[in-house]
Amino acid sequence: MGYPLKWLELVAAQHKDWVAIINSFGEYRYAEDIVQEMYFVLIKYASEEKVIKNGKVSRGYVFFTLRSLYYQYYNKKKKVGFVFIDHDDVYTQLPQQDNIEENEAFHKICELVDEVADGWSWYDKKLWKLYSQTDMSMRKLAAETSISWVSIYHTLKHLKEDLRNKLEEEYLDFKHNDYERIRTKRQKD
């Protein structure tokens, strides 16, 4: 019995040409990886009849496969930012004292929001939790919960209004960097 993927050896014989094609797209660092990925794709999705024509490798078929894989790589690369650890300007700085106070004040406001939410109905609490603690939009919430988006809109509008009325002073203190006042005022209450 012969080797079932003998045709792949014909494709691999032109490996340097395939790397040169990826280089022509402007990718040098991961060109070898993309070509290796192409071999996997050919094994999984192609057949000898598609890749080998008259005993020769169909350069067009391989070119389009490489181009497709390169575009997939390029689109994923655009979404990911690289951080090089050998550059001095990317080191994370420890927060300064004023940032700690701001974080504590923000945490206190979050606790106050939770206290206000405790007085709401079950429906209002659940809807607020879904909206504020997930990244779902009102339309996505409507689709996921089978609640009309108009109902969600009006409910959230009333909940935000309630929070605005009850926590307006704390919000203004936070906005004007008066963090100490937020922490001490509610402790007296």
Side-chain angles (χ1 to χ4, degrees):
M1 184 170 131
Y3 180 63
L5 297 175
K6 185 84 169 152
W7 59 273
L8 194 60
E9 289 180 4
L10 292 173
V11 176
Q14 299 179 27
H15 181 80
K16 289 183 181 180
D17 295 338
W18 311 141
V19 172
I21 289 173
I22 297 297
N23 289 339
S24 73
F25 297 148
E27 180 56 49
Y28 299 96
R29 187 176 195 173
Y30 294 107
E32 287 280 343
D33 295 327
I34 294 171
V35 172
Q36 292 298 326
E37 187 71 26
M38 185 240 346
Y39 295 138
F40 287 123
V41 167
L42 291 179
I43 290 170
K44 188 170 183 177
Y45 299 108
S47 63
E48 182 175 1
E49 295 78 32
K50 290 181 180 178
V51 180
I52 306 297
K53 304 289 183 191
N54 299 325
K56 294 185 178 181
V57 177
S58 172
R59 293 182 63 82
Y61 189 90
V62 173
F63 174 83
F64 287 115
T65 303
L66 286 170
R67 186 177 71 173
S68 174
L69 289 170
Y70 170 74
Y71 283 136
Q72 289 175 14
Y73 159 75
Y74 179 77
N75 287 332
K76 287 180 183 174
K77 183 174 93 170
K78 283 193 320 187
K79 295 177 183 175
V80 177
F82 289 103
V83 177
F84 297 99
I85 61 172
D86 56 346
H87 293 142
D88 292 336
D89 57 343
V90 296
Y91 290 124
T92 304
Q93 292 183 340
L94 294 174
Q96 297 174 0
Q97 184 64 28
D98 57 348
N99 289 344
I100 292 173
E101 289 176 359
E102 180 181 354
N103 289 339
E104 288 175 356
F106 180 77
H107 180 68
K108 183 67 178 171
I109 287 179
C110 290
E111 288 176 350
L112 295 173
V113 168
D114 290 341
E115 286 177 20
V116 171
D118 286 339
W120 293 340
S121 69
W122 176 88
Y123 175 80
D124 292 346
K125 286 181 201 176
K126 291 296 180 184
L127 194 58
W128 177 256
K129 185 176 181 181
L130 281 173
Y131 181 72
S132 65
Q133 295 180 2
T134 64
D135 60 347
M136 287 195 273
S137 66
M138 283 189 241
R139 290 194 186 271
K140 178 100 172 151
L141 271 174
E144 294 284 326
T145 61
S146 300
I147 301 170
S148 75
W149 71 269
V150 174
S151 174
I152 292 174
Y153 169 79
H154 287 296
T155 302
L156 289 173
K157 179 181 170 186
H158 293 297
L159 297 177
K160 289 176 185 178
E161 190 176 304
D162 186 36
L163 287 172
R164 195 174 299 116
N165 291 336
K166 293 181 179 174
L167 300 177
E168 182 177 14
E169 197 173 325
E170 286 81 0
Y171 173 73
L172 290 174
D173 290 340
F174 184 79
K175 189 175 174 181
H176 297 296
N177 300 332
D178 194 2
Y179 307 129
E180 188 65 32
R181 189 166 170 192
I182 295 170
R183 283 185 271 144
T184 57
K185 183 170 40 173
R186 284 292 175 150
Q187 290 172 354
K188 293 176 186 175
D189 294 345

Short mmCIF file of all heavy atoms in Angstrom, two decimals, residues 18-54:
data_model
loop_
_atom_site.label_atom_id
_atom_site.label_comp_id
_atom_site.label_asym_id
_atom_site.label_seq_id
_atom_site.Cartn_x
_atom_site.Cartn_y
_atom_site.Cartn_z
N TRP A 18 6.13 28.98 -1.78
CA TRP A 18 4.94 29.33 -1.00
C TRP A 18 5.29 30.39 0.05
O TRP A 18 4.52 31.32 0.28
CB TRP A 18 4.32 28.11 -0.34
CG TRP A 18 4.11 26.92 -1.23
CD1 TRP A 18 4.30 25.61 -0.90
CD2 TRP A 18 3.65 26.91 -2.59
NE1 TRP A 18 4.01 24.78 -1.97
CE2 TRP A 18 3.60 25.57 -3.03
CE3 TRP A 18 3.30 27.88 -3.51
CZ2 TRP A 18 3.20 25.18 -4.30
CZ3 TRP A 18 2.92 27.51 -4.79
CH2 TRP A 18 2.86 26.18 -5.17
N VAL A 19 6.46 30.26 0.67
CA VAL A 19 6.90 31.26 1.64
C VAL A 19 7.11 32.60 0.94
O VAL A 19 6.74 33.65 1.46
CB VAL A 19 8.18 30.79 2.37
CG1 VAL A 19 8.75 31.91 3.24
CG2 VAL A 19 7.91 29.56 3.21
N ALA A 20 7.66 32.57 -0.29
CA ALA A 20 7.87 33.80 -1.05
C ALA A 20 6.54 34.48 -1.37
O ALA A 20 6.45 35.72 -1.37
CB ALA A 20 8.65 33.51 -2.33
N ILE A 21 5.50 33.70 -1.62
CA ILE A 21 4.18 34.28 -1.88
C ILE A 21 3.68 35.02 -0.65
O ILE A 21 3.19 36.15 -0.74
CB ILE A 21 3.19 33.19 -2.34
CG1 ILE A 21 3.54 32.72 -3.75
CG2 ILE A 21 1.75 33.70 -2.29
CD1 ILE A 21 2.74 31.52 -4.23
N ILE A 22 3.81 34.40 0.51
CA ILE A 22 3.38 35.06 1.75
C ILE A 22 4.22 36.32 2.00
O ILE A 22 3.70 37.36 2.40
CB ILE A 22 3.47 34.10 2.96
CG1 ILE A 22 2.52 32.92 2.77
CG2 ILE A 22 3.18 34.83 4.25
CD1 ILE A 22 1.05 33.29 2.71
N ASN A 23 5.52 36.24 1.70
CA ASN A 23 6.38 37.42 1.84
C ASN A 23 5.93 38.54 0.90
O ASN A 23 6.00 39.71 1.25
CB ASN A 23 7.84 37.07 1.54
CG ASN A 23 8.47 36.22 2.63
OD1 ASN A 23 8.01 36.18 3.75
ND2 ASN A 23 9.53 35.51 2.27
N SER A 24 5.43 38.17 -0.29
CA SER A 24 4.96 39.20 -1.23
C SER A 24 3.73 39.93 -0.70
O SER A 24 3.44 41.04 -1.13
CB SER A 24 4.66 38.57 -2.59
OG SER A 24 3.47 37.81 -2.55
N PHE A 25 3.00 39.32 0.23
CA PHE A 25 1.86 39.98 0.86
C PHE A 25 2.32 40.95 1.95
O PHE A 25 1.51 41.69 2.49
CB PHE A 25 0.90 38.96 1.48
CG PHE A 25 0.26 38.02 0.50
CD1 PHE A 25 -0.06 36.74 0.88
CD2 PHE A 25 -0.04 38.41 -0.79
CE1 PHE A 25 -0.65 35.86 0.00
CE2 PHE A 25 -0.63 37.54 -1.69
CZ PHE A 25 -0.94 36.25 -1.29
N GLY A 26 3.60 40.90 2.29
CA GLY A 26 4.13 41.81 3.30
C GLY A 26 4.34 41.16 4.66
O GLY A 26 4.68 41.82 5.63
N GLU A 27 4.15 39.85 4.76
CA GLU A 27 4.32 39.16 6.03
C GLU A 27 5.61 38.35 5.99
O GLU A 27 5.77 37.47 5.15
CB GLU A 27 3.14 38.23 6.31
CG GLU A 27 3.24 37.48 7.62
CD GLU A 27 3.41 38.41 8.81
OE1 GLU A 27 2.65 39.38 8.94
OE2 GLU A 27 4.31 38.15 9.62
N TYR A 28 6.53 38.67 6.89
CA TYR A 28 7.81 37.96 6.93
C TYR A 28 7.95 37.14 8.21
O TYR A 28 8.52 36.07 8.19
CB TYR A 28 8.97 38.97 6.83
CG TYR A 28 8.93 39.74 5.53
CD1 TYR A 28 8.33 40.98 5.47
CD2 TYR A 28 9.45 39.19 4.37
CE1 TYR A 28 8.27 41.68 4.27
CE2 TYR A 28 9.40 39.87 3.17
CZ TYR A 28 8.80 41.12 3.12
OH TYR A 28 8.74 41.79 1.94
N ARG A 29 7.42 37.67 9.29
CA ARG A 29 7.62 37.03 10.59
C ARG A 29 6.90 35.68 10.69
O ARG A 29 7.45 34.73 11.23
CB ARG A 29 7.11 37.98 11.68
CG ARG A 29 7.40 37.53 13.05
CD ARG A 29 6.97 38.56 14.05
NE ARG A 29 7.56 38.29 15.34
CZ ARG A 29 7.47 39.09 16.36
NH1 ARG A 29 6.83 40.22 16.26
NH2 ARG A 29 8.03 38.78 17.50
N TYR A 30 5.67 35.60 10.19
CA TYR A 30 4.88 34.38 10.33
C TYR A 30 4.63 33.67 9.00
O TYR A 30 3.71 32.87 8.88
CB TYR A 30 3.55 34.69 11.01
CG TYR A 30 3.71 35.13 12.44
CD1 TYR A 30 3.53 36.46 12.79
CD2 TYR A 30 4.09 34.24 13.42
CE1 TYR A 30 3.70 36.89 14.10
CE2 TYR A 30 4.27 34.65 14.73
CZ TYR A 30 4.07 35.97 15.06
OH TYR A 30 4.25 36.37 16.36
N ALA A 31 5.46 33.95 8.00
CA ALA A 31 5.27 33.35 6.68
C ALA A 31 5.35 31.82 6.75
O ALA A 31 4.51 31.11 6.18
CB ALA A 31 6.29 33.91 5.70
N GLU A 32 6.35 31.31 7.44
CA GLU A 32 6.50 29.85 7.57
C GLU A 32 5.27 29.22 8.24
O GLU A 32 4.80 28.17 7.84
CB GLU A 32 7.76 29.51 8.37
CG GLU A 32 9.05 29.75 7.65
CD GLU A 32 9.41 28.62 6.69
OE1 GLU A 32 8.84 27.52 6.79
OE2 GLU A 32 10.26 28.87 5.83
N ASP A 33 4.76 29.90 9.27
CA ASP A 33 3.61 29.37 9.99
C ASP A 33 2.37 29.32 9.09
O ASP A 33 1.60 28.36 9.14
CB ASP A 33 3.31 30.23 11.22
CG ASP A 33 4.43 30.17 12.24
OD1 ASP A 33 5.08 29.11 12.35
OD2 ASP A 33 4.66 31.18 12.92
N ILE A 34 2.18 30.34 8.29
CA ILE A 34 1.02 30.37 7.39
C ILE A 34 1.13 29.27 6.35
O ILE A 34 0.14 28.60 6.03
CB ILE A 34 0.88 31.77 6.74
CG1 ILE A 34 0.56 32.81 7.82
CG2 ILE A 34 -0.18 31.77 5.66
CD1 ILE A 34 0.61 34.24 7.35
N VAL A 35 2.34 29.03 5.84
CA VAL A 35 2.53 27.95 4.86
C VAL A 35 2.27 26.59 5.52
O VAL A 35 1.61 25.72 4.93
CB VAL A 35 3.94 28.01 4.24
CG1 VAL A 35 4.21 26.78 3.39
CG2 VAL A 35 4.09 29.28 3.42
N GLN A 36 2.73 26.40 6.74
CA GLN A 36 2.46 25.15 7.45
C GLN A 36 0.96 24.97 7.65
O GLN A 36 0.43 23.86 7.51
CB GLN A 36 3.19 25.12 8.80
CG GLN A 36 4.70 25.04 8.70
CD GLN A 36 5.17 23.78 8.02
OE1 GLN A 36 4.58 22.72 8.15
NE2 GLN A 36 6.25 23.89 7.26
N GLU A 37 0.28 26.06 7.97
CA GLU A 37 -1.18 26.00 8.12
C GLU A 37 -1.84 25.61 6.80
O GLU A 37 -2.83 24.90 6.77
CB GLU A 37 -1.70 27.36 8.60
CG GLU A 37 -3.15 27.40 8.96
CD GLU A 37 -3.47 26.63 10.25
OE1 GLU A 37 -2.60 26.49 11.11
OE2 GLU A 37 -4.62 26.18 10.36
N MET A 38 -1.27 26.08 5.69
CA MET A 38 -1.80 25.73 4.37
C MET A 38 -1.74 24.22 4.14
O MET A 38 -2.66 23.63 3.59
CB MET A 38 -1.02 26.46 3.28
CG MET A 38 -1.59 26.25 1.90
SD MET A 38 -0.57 25.47 0.61
CE MET A 38 1.07 25.44 1.10
N TYR A 39 -0.67 23.58 4.59
CA TYR A 39 -0.57 22.12 4.43
C TYR A 39 -1.71 21.43 5.18
O TYR A 39 -2.32 20.49 4.66
CB TYR A 39 0.79 21.60 4.92
CG TYR A 39 1.97 22.09 4.11
CD1 TYR A 39 3.13 22.50 4.72
CD2 TYR A 39 1.92 22.14 2.71
CE1 TYR A 39 4.22 22.95 3.99
CE2 TYR A 39 3.00 22.59 1.97
CZ TYR A 39 4.14 22.99 2.61
OH TYR A 39 5.21 23.43 1.88
N PHE A 40 -2.00 21.89 6.39
CA PHE A 40 -3.11 21.31 7.15
C PHE A 40 -4.44 21.51 6.42
O PHE A 40 -5.27 20.62 6.37
CB PHE A 40 -3.20 21.92 8.55
CG PHE A 40 -2.13 21.47 9.48
CD1 PHE A 40 -1.30 22.39 10.09
CD2 PHE A 40 -1.93 20.12 9.77
CE1 PHE A 40 -0.31 21.99 10.96
CE2 PHE A 40 -0.94 19.70 10.63
CZ PHE A 40 -0.12 20.64 11.23
N VAL A 41 -4.63 22.70 5.87
CA VAL A 41 -5.88 23.00 5.16
C VAL A 41 -6.00 22.11 3.93
O VAL A 41 -7.09 21.59 3.65
CB VAL A 41 -5.93 24.50 4.79
CG1 VAL A 41 -7.04 24.78 3.80
CG2 VAL A 41 -6.09 25.35 6.04
N LEU A 42 -4.91 21.93 3.22
CA LEU A 42 -4.96 21.06 2.03
C LEU A 42 -5.30 19.63 2.40
O LEU A 42 -6.09 18.97 1.72
CB LEU A 42 -3.63 21.12 1.26
CG LEU A 42 -3.30 22.43 0.56
CD1 LEU A 42 -1.94 22.34 -0.12
CD2 LEU A 42 -4.38 22.81 -0.44
N ILE A 43 -4.73 19.15 3.49
CA ILE A 43 -5.03 17.79 3.93
C ILE A 43 -6.49 17.66 4.32
O ILE A 43 -7.16 16.69 3.97
CB ILE A 43 -4.12 17.38 5.12
CG1 ILE A 43 -2.68 17.22 4.65
CG2 ILE A 43 -4.62 16.10 5.78
CD1 ILE A 43 -1.67 17.07 5.78
N LYS A 44 -7.00 18.67 5.01
CA LYS A 44 -8.36 18.58 5.53
C LYS A 44 -9.43 18.83 4.46
O LYS A 44 -10.44 18.14 4.43
CB LYS A 44 -8.52 19.58 6.67
CG LYS A 44 -9.83 19.46 7.42
CD LYS A 44 -9.83 20.31 8.66
CE LYS A 44 -11.13 20.10 9.43
NZ LYS A 44 -11.15 20.85 10.68
N TYR A 45 -9.21 19.82 3.57
CA TYR A 45 -10.28 20.24 2.68
C TYR A 45 -10.05 19.95 1.20
O TYR A 45 -10.99 19.96 0.41
CB TYR A 45 -10.53 21.75 2.83
CG TYR A 45 -10.96 22.14 4.21
CD1 TYR A 45 -10.10 22.83 5.06
CD2 TYR A 45 -12.23 21.80 4.70
CE1 TYR A 45 -10.49 23.18 6.35
CE2 TYR A 45 -12.61 22.14 5.98
CZ TYR A 45 -11.74 22.84 6.79
OH TYR A 45 -12.14 23.18 8.05
N ALA A 46 -8.82 19.72 0.81
CA ALA A 46 -8.54 19.53 -0.61
C ALA A 46 -8.32 18.05 -0.91
O ALA A 46 -8.25 17.21 -0.02
CB ALA A 46 -7.31 20.34 -1.01
N SER A 47 -8.20 17.78 -2.18
CA SER A 47 -7.90 16.42 -2.62
C SER A 47 -6.85 16.51 -3.72
O SER A 47 -6.56 17.58 -4.25
CB SER A 47 -9.16 15.74 -3.14
OG SER A 47 -9.65 16.42 -4.28
N GLU A 48 -6.31 15.36 -4.08
CA GLU A 48 -5.29 15.34 -5.11
C GLU A 48 -5.82 15.90 -6.43
O GLU A 48 -5.12 16.62 -7.14
CB GLU A 48 -4.79 13.90 -5.31
CG GLU A 48 -3.70 13.76 -6.34
CD GLU A 48 -3.15 12.36 -6.44
OE1 GLU A 48 -3.63 11.47 -5.72
OE2 GLU A 48 -2.22 12.16 -7.24
N GLU A 49 -7.09 15.62 -6.72
CA GLU A 49 -7.68 16.09 -7.98
C GLU A 49 -7.76 17.61 -8.04
O GLU A 49 -7.67 18.22 -9.10
CB GLU A 49 -9.09 15.52 -8.16
CG GLU A 49 -9.14 14.00 -8.33
CD GLU A 49 -8.99 13.26 -7.00
OE1 GLU A 49 -9.43 13.78 -5.95
OE2 GLU A 49 -8.40 12.17 -7.02
N LYS A 50 -7.94 18.26 -6.90
CA LYS A 50 -8.02 19.72 -6.86
C LYS A 50 -6.65 20.39 -6.96
O LYS A 50 -6.51 21.45 -7.55
CB LYS A 50 -8.70 20.19 -5.57
CG LYS A 50 -10.16 19.88 -5.48
CD LYS A 50 -10.71 20.40 -4.16
CE LYS A 50 -12.18 20.12 -4.02
NZ LYS A 50 -12.70 20.59 -2.71
N VAL A 51 -5.65 19.77 -6.36
CA VAL A 51 -4.35 20.41 -6.22
C VAL A 51 -3.39 20.03 -7.34
O VAL A 51 -2.60 20.86 -7.79
CB VAL A 51 -3.73 20.07 -4.84
CG1 VAL A 51 -2.39 20.72 -4.66
CG2 VAL A 51 -4.67 20.47 -3.72
N ILE A 52 -3.44 18.81 -7.82
CA ILE A 52 -2.50 18.32 -8.84
C ILE A 52 -3.21 18.26 -10.19
O ILE A 52 -4.22 17.57 -10.35
CB ILE A 52 -1.94 16.93 -8.47
CG1 ILE A 52 -1.32 16.94 -7.07
CG2 ILE A 52 -0.94 16.45 -9.52
CD1 ILE A 52 -0.14 17.84 -6.89
N LYS A 53 -2.69 18.99 -11.16
CA LYS A 53 -3.22 19.00 -12.53
C LYS A 53 -2.12 18.57 -13.48
O LYS A 53 -1.06 19.20 -13.52
CB LYS A 53 -3.71 20.41 -12.93
CG LYS A 53 -4.75 21.01 -12.01
CD LYS A 53 -6.07 20.31 -12.14
CE LYS A 53 -7.07 21.04 -11.25
NZ LYS A 53 -8.29 20.34 -11.08
N ASN A 54 -2.36 17.50 -14.20
CA ASN A 54 -1.39 16.96 -15.18
C ASN A 54 -0.03 16.69 -14.54
O ASN A 54 1.01 17.00 -15.12
CB ASN A 54 -1.23 17.89 -16.38
CG ASN A 54 -2.53 18.09 -17.14
OD1 ASN A 54 -3.34 17.15 -17.23
ND2 ASN A 54 -2.74 19.28 -17.66
#
